[in-house]
Amino acid sequence: MNKIKLLALSLALIGNLNAGDVFEGTVVDTLNGGGYTYLQIDDTKKKYWVAVEGIKVEKGTEVRFTEEMRIKDFESKTLNRKFDEIVFASNLQHRTNVPEKGNLELINEQVKESPYKQKDTMSVKEVWEKRVSLKDKTIAIRGKVVKASPNIMGRNWVHIQDGTGEGSEIGRIVFTSKELPKVGDIVTASGVVSVDKDFGSGYFYKIIVENASFSK
């Protein structure tokens, strides 16, 4: 049993439990002590403190978390500090700011047919057009890694293009994975299609491919 659950059991009679509620905000200050990281959160309406099991989070990071319990007049002996109120939280997710410069190698020339397509792979355009019927199915696209953002909400976000698309924008598909190919690599990306997926914190996708693997 983890430390938060043990604390919840021991303080259940004095704490105001709202387990399961999900909150978002920006970290404006941090403290560390007793195996916990204390984060001061600004949600644009108010500022308050949240405690999570030791994890390094930089100021300015956008976070999302699940409330385990809320305690008024909480005193941390390790920090020698008393908080008017503190939220003990779990399932902390955070947005990692990855500089765009040097991490983009976009395809800007639109083509009718993918130059990378192989047997048993689809083009980006095909996947976009058929995304509803492809929901929950495993697909493969061969294309170029044009952006790769590591460790956002516990996964890597890899953008694939092959030059096909609609209108003025050259299409791309985002894959999430524990693997992290390099920007510029030509890969076959395989995974399970999700549609209209909302991760929260501004991450909404009409189509995204999850649990992906990559091969050259």
Side-chain angles (χ1 to χ4, degrees):
M1 185 175 294
N2 65 31
K3 294 166 71 175
I4 287 179
K5 289 182 179 178
L6 284 171
L7 188 62
L9 287 172
S10 63
L11 297 177
L13 294 177
I14 61 173
N16 177 24
L17 298 181
N18 295 289
D21 290 351
V22 177
F23 299 93
E24 298 177 359
T26 302
V27 177
V28 294
D29 198 4
T30 66
L31 298 168
N32 291 282
Y36 285 95
T37 297
Y38 296 82
L39 309 174
Q40 188 179 35
I41 304 296
D42 185 349
D43 66 4
T44 72
K45 295 179 181 178
K46 64 181 183 300
K47 293 181 181 179
Y48 57 96
W49 286 91
V50 169
V52 295
E53 289 189 58
I55 182 174
K56 186 177 181 180
V57 180
E58 301 291 339
K59 295 179 183 179
T61 302
E62 297 175 42
V63 296
R64 189 170 190 254
F65 54 88
T66 302
E67 179 178 334
E68 294 291 341
M69 67 183 308
R70 187 181 298 252
I71 302 174
K72 294 185 180 295
D73 300 323
F74 177 80
E75 183 176 1
S76 169
K77 294 183 179 179
T78 304
L79 296 176
N80 192 27
R81 175 169 177 165
K82 189 173 184 178
F83 297 89
D84 293 336
E85 183 178 75
I86 198 159
V87 174
F88 284 87
S90 63
N91 194 31
L92 184 75
Q93 301 174 343
H94 61 91
R95 184 192 294 270
T96 301
N97 294 319
V98 178
E100 295 285 273
K101 186 177 180 181
N103 190 51
L104 288 176
E105 197 168 310
L106 298 178
I107 295 174
N108 296 309
E109 183 177 349
Q110 193 172 36
V111 296
K112 290 184 178 181
E113 299 291 336
S114 168
Y116 309 110
K117 188 176 178 182
Q118 297 179 338
K119 184 180 179 180
D120 299 326
T121 70
M122 302 177 71
S123 70
V124 168
K125 181 180 178 181
E126 284 179 294
V127 173
W128 265 103
E129 290 176 343
K130 298 177 181 179
R131 64 184 182 276
V132 175
S133 63
L134 292 173
K135 182 181 178 182
D136 299 327
K137 294 182 179 178
T138 299
I139 58 100
I141 296 174
R142 186 159 181 82
K144 181 180 181 182
V145 178
V146 297
K147 182 178 180 180
S149 303
N151 194 28
I152 300 175
M153 295 190 294
R155 66 199 83 188
N156 302 318
W157 302 66
V158 180
H159 298 235
I160 301 290
Q161 282 185 303
D162 62 6
T164 63
E166 292 291 343
S168 59
E169 183 178 351
I170 308 300
R172 63 172 117 165
I173 300 287
V174 177
F175 291 73
T176 64
S177 177
K178 293 186 179 299
E179 300 177 20
L180 187 62
K182 294 180 181 179
V183 172
D185 282 353
I186 305 300
V187 299
T188 298
S190 304
V192 179
V193 174
S194 293
V195 297
D196 297 329
K197 187 69 177 278
D198 188 355
F199 291 93
S201 302
Y203 290 92
F204 177 83
Y205 294 87
K206 289 184 178 180
I207 178 172
I208 191 166
V209 183
E210 302 185 271
N211 300 318
S213 59
F214 305 93
S215 60
K216 291 187 176 182

